[in-house]
Each structure stands twice: as structure tokens, then as C-alpha cells.
Amino acid sequence: MAVVLLFLVTFLFFNSPVNDPVSQFDNQTEIKPTPSISIALDLWRQKQYHSSLAMLEELNQPQSEAGFYEFYFKTFVNGTINQTFSQQAALPSSCSQQLLFVAGSVNSLTQAEKLKQKLINDQRLQSLPICAYELIWFNPETVQCTNNQTTHQRISCDLPLLAQHVKSLQFTHLVIFAKDGKANVHNGIMYLDQQDTYDVFVHELAHFAGFVDEYPLSAELAKQVCQQGRAPNLRFSKPNDSTNLSPARTCDNHPNQAYKNSKRLTFMEYHDVAYIPEQYLTAWRNSLLDQHNSPSAHVNFAQFYEEHNNVTESQYWRAKYKMYLTQ
């Protein structure tokens, strides 16, 4: 009798539909996630580009935040980014600096758009001949950047990869948004990371015009900078008429003394102060009138190819730079 009961229990257990994995699978219905911007952005970060774009299209909100991402994601997925750029209006010829914002990630794309809008609305800078293209150049596969261990965590990016993709575009200077690293300007390229604020951007923007930091430079850098006669915001020798000049800390690590035309802290010493004296704006504007004071990004590409003995590409970018100097 015990054997019969054990057989019945075993039979019922293995034939119960509750414990049948096949029956369980058949009874389950795949739950499709409700479309949302956050899910779409997560899919994009996971490089599920087509799924992300499809979800944004399903939201069908062209004038909203979803529409913003949909536009840029579509130009990348469809490979039409340069074609789209060629269709936007040209910047005025009076713009000495024509900024192209470059981003490779969702976070950087959002950051670039916010900073661009703040630049457009910044009344302090309205008198400067600086313009930014309306569109951001967005390409996750091309914008490859790292924080360089040999240059004090300064951001650096894969220039030849980028150069080949932006060849056909009209710009003078690039603003590249990377994930992390120390913000810096090298000739005509500005590098920012995702933590950098608009005030940092404006500080670095002044470097495009030759402005020098007013905090103490390292001994190595001070040796290069403090030997020169002057910068748009500084003098490195005290003139006879110096009533409006105040000592700057730029050359604290050098025998020379630097002087600034402001008794207050300025945005070149502490970027979060955000104070730009009127004299600085005048000097900034005058500096931009001479292109030699503001090397363009073309020279960055030319120098890279020269260092790697690529004559064809170096000559191409040198020619672009010479054209920029004669504008």
C-alpha cells in the first residue's frame, strides 16, 4: 500500500502543469516596456541604437526632449550627419570664431546643447565675433577620448578619426565633450568633460583668444608664458602708467611679475566668479580681429599628420589653416 501511495504522489508531482516548465513558458506573455525617454536613453547607452531610436519614434513627440534625441540619433543611425549639417544656414562672415560642438555620448549631447544655448543668451559676450553652429556634431563611434596620464589628466581625443569625418564641414574651432578629464585648450580645440560648467566653458573660450590664466602657473608653464611681453588680459612688465593695473598671480613661480587690468578677481583666475571686466571684453574683441591670435582647429590636425609623416593630409589641413588666416 505504501508503494502504491508513493507511486501516486510521484506521478502527480511530475505531471502537474504548475511544475511543467513548458506549460509555464506557454502561459507567459512577453511584457513590452512602456516607451519612455529614460528607457530609450538606456538602450542607446547599451549600443542598442535601432531599438532606442524606434522607441523614441513611438513616443512621437518631435517638439519635446524625446524629439531632440530622436533627431540626433536618427542622423547617426542613418549616416546622414554631414548631409544634415550641410543643409543648415551658414554662419555670418563677421564671425571670427565659428564653433562646432562635438559630442559622442548621450550625456555629452545634452551638456553641449545646454552650453550652446547659454552661450547664445549670454549678454556679456554679445559684442564678441563668436558664433556657434545650431547643430551639434554627434557620433558615438567617432568621438573617442581619454584622460591622458602623461599630461596631468588632460583630455585628448582620436584626432585622425575625427578629422576624416569633419573634413567637409565649415568651422574654425571645435569644442569636444568627453566623459572625464581636465578641461583644456590646445590651439583650436577645446576639450571639456561632463562635469564642466558653463563658467568653465567661458574661461576656456577666452584661451582661444590668447588669454592667460591668472592663477599661479606651474614653474614649467610659467617659464614659457611669463617671458612674453603681454597677453590680452595681462602684462608681464609694469609700464609707467600703471594706475589701473594690479598684480596677478600668474607668474608666482617665475621671477617676472604679471599685472592685470582689474582690481577684482576675474573669470580667468576663478571661473566660477564669472566676472569679466569691460576692459577684458575690449581686449578679447580686439584679439579676435587678428586670426593669428586664435589658431584654428585646422592647425591641430595639420600638426598631428606632420608628426606622423602623412604629407597629403598635413598639406590639406595646412591649406585650410592658411585660408582661415586670410578670411
Side-chain angles (χ1 to χ4, degrees):
M1 184 64 179
V3 174
V4 173
L5 288 175
L6 179 60
F7 172 78
L8 289 173
V9 171
T10 304
F11 176 82
L12 290 172
F13 178 83
F14 282 105
N15 288 276
S16 170
V18 175
N19 295 288
D20 184 353
V22 176
S23 299
Q24 285 185 331
F25 182 82
D26 289 341
N27 290 333
Q28 286 181 348
T29 302
E30 184 180 353
I31 301 175
K32 187 178 180 180
T34 302
S36 70
I37 295 178
S38 61
I39 294 176
L41 297 186
D42 284 341
L43 289 171
W44 189 269
R45 293 185 182 100
Q46 297 166 22
K47 297 189 176 183
Q48 298 183 41
Y49 298 139
H50 289 86
S51 298
S52 173
L53 179 57
M55 181 170 289
L56 290 172
E57 290 174 336
E58 188 175 350
L59 287 170
N60 191 27
Q61 300 172 358
Q63 303 303 319
S64 67
E65 182 184 4
F68 168 79
Y69 290 116
E70 180 185 343
F71 171 81
Y72 283 105
F73 290 3
K74 187 176 292 184
T75 62
F76 170 70
V77 170
N78 295 341
T80 58
I81 183 169
N82 283 14
Q83 178 183 349
T84 304
F85 257 86
S86 66
Q87 295 170 354
Q88 67 179 324
L91 294 177
S93 58
S94 59
C95 298
S96 299
Q97 286 187 352
Q98 301 180 2
L99 307 180
L100 177 61
F101 285 29
V102 176
S105 71
V106 170
N107 291 349
S108 294
L109 178 62
T110 306
Q111 178 190 18
E113 178 65 19
K114 290 179 179 178
L115 264 58
K116 178 168 63 68
Q117 292 302 323
K118 286 186 176 182
L119 173 63
I120 293 172
N121 296 322
D122 193 337
Q123 294 301 312
R124 299 172 304 169
L125 309 182
Q126 292 302 306
S127 65
L128 302 180
I130 300 174
C131 304
Y133 279 102
E134 179 182 356
L135 299 182
I136 300 163
W137 198 84
F138 175 68
N139 190 317
E141 303 298 336
T142 299
V143 184
Q144 302 292 332
C145 302
T146 59
N147 51 3
N148 198 320
Q149 301 291 332
T150 61
T151 55
H152 308 289
Q153 304 293 323
R154 289 177 180 269
I155 303 167
S156 61
C157 302
D158 190 332
L159 290 187
L161 183 61
L162 181 61
Q164 294 306 310
H165 283 80
V166 299
K167 256 187 171 183
S168 63
L169 305 181
Q170 299 301 314
F171 60 85
T172 63
H173 295 71
L174 299 179
V175 181
I176 302 179
F177 294 82
K179 181 179 179 181
D180 51 33
K182 186 177 180 181
N184 68 97
V185 161
H186 180 223
N187 290 324
I189 299 181
M190 181 192 304
Y191 302 94
L192 299 174
D193 80 357
Q194 293 177 6
Q195 305 304 314
D196 288 325
T197 63
Y198 178 71
D199 289 332
V200 174
F201 166 71
V202 173
H203 175 100
E204 299 298 330
L205 192 62
H207 284 314
F208 272 159
F211 276 57
V212 174
D213 292 318
E214 293 174 2
Y215 53 76
L217 302 179
S218 66
E220 181 182 358
L221 187 56
K223 187 176 180 180
Q224 302 174 32
V225 171
C226 299
Q227 297 286 359
Q228 58 185 311
R230 63 183 300 168
N233 60 317
L234 293 175
R235 294 187 180 185
F236 298 97
S237 60
K238 195 171 186 178
N240 294 330
D241 182 13
S242 59
T243 54
N244 295 323
L245 296 181
S246 299
R249 299 193 300 148
T250 303
C251 300
D252 281 5
N253 294 313
H254 188 275
N256 287 353
Q257 175 64 55
Y259 298 89
K260 60 180 181 176
N261 199 0
S262 173
K263 299 185 183 302
R264 291 175 53 184
L265 295 176
T266 79
F267 76 121
M268 292 309 297
E269 185 167 5
Y270 293 107
H271 58 76
D272 52 352
V273 169
Y275 172 60
I276 308 178
E278 189 60 39
Q279 300 94 322
Y280 280 45
L281 289 170
T282 300
W284 196 340
R285 184 166 54 252
N286 291 337
S287 181
L288 291 180
L289 295 178
D290 184 350
Q291 310 286 47
H292 292 83
N293 295 327
S294 181
S296 67
H298 311 119
V299 77
N300 293 71
F301 296 134
Q303 289 175 346
F304 174 86
Y305 285 117
E306 286 164 0
E307 291 171 1
H308 291 80
N309 300 314
N310 189 327
V311 177
T312 302
E313 290 299 322
S314 65
Q315 289 179 342
Y316 172 85
W317 289 105
R318 277 292 171 189
K320 296 273 283 188
Y321 180 51
K322 289 180 181 179
M323 189 180 301
Y324 159 76
L325 292 177
T326 57
Q327 289 177 351

